[in-house]
Amino acid sequence: EPRVRALENQRGILAMVLGMAFFLVNDTLVKLASADLPTGQLICLRGLMACLWLLLMCAQRGLLTQWRSLREPVIWVRGAFDGLSSIAYLTALIHLPLANATAINLASPLFILVLAVIFLKERLQWVRTLAALVGFGGVLLIVRPSGDGFNVYAWLCVLGTLGHAIRDLLTRRISGAVPGLLITLATAASVTALSGLWSLATPWVS
């Protein structure tokens, strides 16, 4: 029904806006914490806390009994992309001005548009494309990233942003029967595991 579909779209848009707001807060806190913690340890501890909260939320909603739904391979492929992309992006974030990293990361919708056309065979509507370009231009006007800050870490940030776009595309391949919180938990576990392995390369600090 059109009215139901429109309501679902509005809820999806609101969820995306709130999600981006929380990501920006998260990036700021990561940037502050990086002054005292090695990157691998920081991302691992962040992942452990996320896993704890998600486990509690899943248990409270009775979703842990549906753990068998996580056997879809695409869920863990998505988790691997998110883990590697998060490590790349957060490493870049620590070494870049926050405005530069934010501007690069907000190019993700442009990547998604292109990937959706190539892999999902979606039709590229010029209005949607123009809106994404105008929105990204507005972001650049607000944050004004400096040109001298575009270095190897900026390219690493681009790589992480592209990986996150692929992650979002893979989400479309997951069965609608799998609860979103369980998918998020699997993703957080993947990020934690990968960053935990990386953190072993340097001594942990208190």
Side-chain angles (χ1 to χ4, degrees):
E1 186 178 336
R3 182 176 297 180
V4 174
R5 192 178 301 115
L7 181 60
E8 289 178 347
N9 285 340
Q10 291 173 4
R11 290 177 61 189
I13 291 170
L14 177 60
M16 184 64 75
V17 170
L18 288 174
M20 290 306 299
F22 284 126
F23 276 128
L24 289 173
V25 173
N26 170 77
D27 290 350
T28 304
L29 295 176
V30 166
K31 186 85 172 170
L32 292 171
S34 67
D36 301 305
L37 290 175
T39 307
Q41 182 181 340
L42 190 161
I43 300 173
C44 181
L45 290 173
R46 167 182 169 274
L48 285 172
M49 286 186 282
C51 286
L52 175 62
W53 280 111
L54 288 165
L55 276 171
L56 290 173
M57 292 174 69
C58 288
Q60 191 269 333
R61 298 188 182 193
L63 297 177
L64 295 180
T65 58
Q66 302 180 43
W67 64 269
R68 289 182 179 81
S69 63
L70 294 177
R71 291 185 293 185
E72 288 189 30
V74 68
I75 293 176
W76 299 102
V77 173
R78 179 188 183 279
F81 265 101
D82 190 69
L84 294 172
S85 301
S86 295
I87 289 173
Y89 174 70
L90 292 175
T91 301
L93 173 69
I94 290 169
H95 294 89
L96 287 174
L98 184 60
N100 291 48
T102 299
I104 294 170
N105 189 43
L106 290 176
S108 181
L110 299 179
F111 287 135
I112 293 173
L113 280 176
V114 175
L115 293 173
V117 171
I118 296 173
F119 294 106
L120 298 182
K121 308 302 180 185
E122 292 190 0
R123 295 176 61 185
L124 192 60
Q125 299 176 0
W126 70 269
V127 175
R128 186 179 301 173
T129 305
L130 181 62
L133 290 171
V134 170
F136 181 62
V139 170
L140 292 179
L141 287 174
I142 293 170
V143 299
R144 296 181 182 179
S146 57
D148 56 351
F150 209 86
N151 49 32
V152 64
Y153 289 109
W155 287 111
L156 186 63
C157 188
V158 170
L159 187 62
T161 300
L162 177 60
H164 282 142
I166 295 173
R167 171 206 64 193
D168 292 344
L169 217 65
L170 288 171
T171 306
R172 295 281 298 272
R173 299 290 188 183
I174 299 174
S175 168
V178 183
L181 271 179
L182 283 183
I183 297 172
T184 308
L185 176 59
T187 303
S190 300
V191 174
T192 305
L194 289 171
S195 58
L197 289 174
W198 181 31
S199 73
L200 298 177
T202 55
W204 276 53
V205 298
S206 61

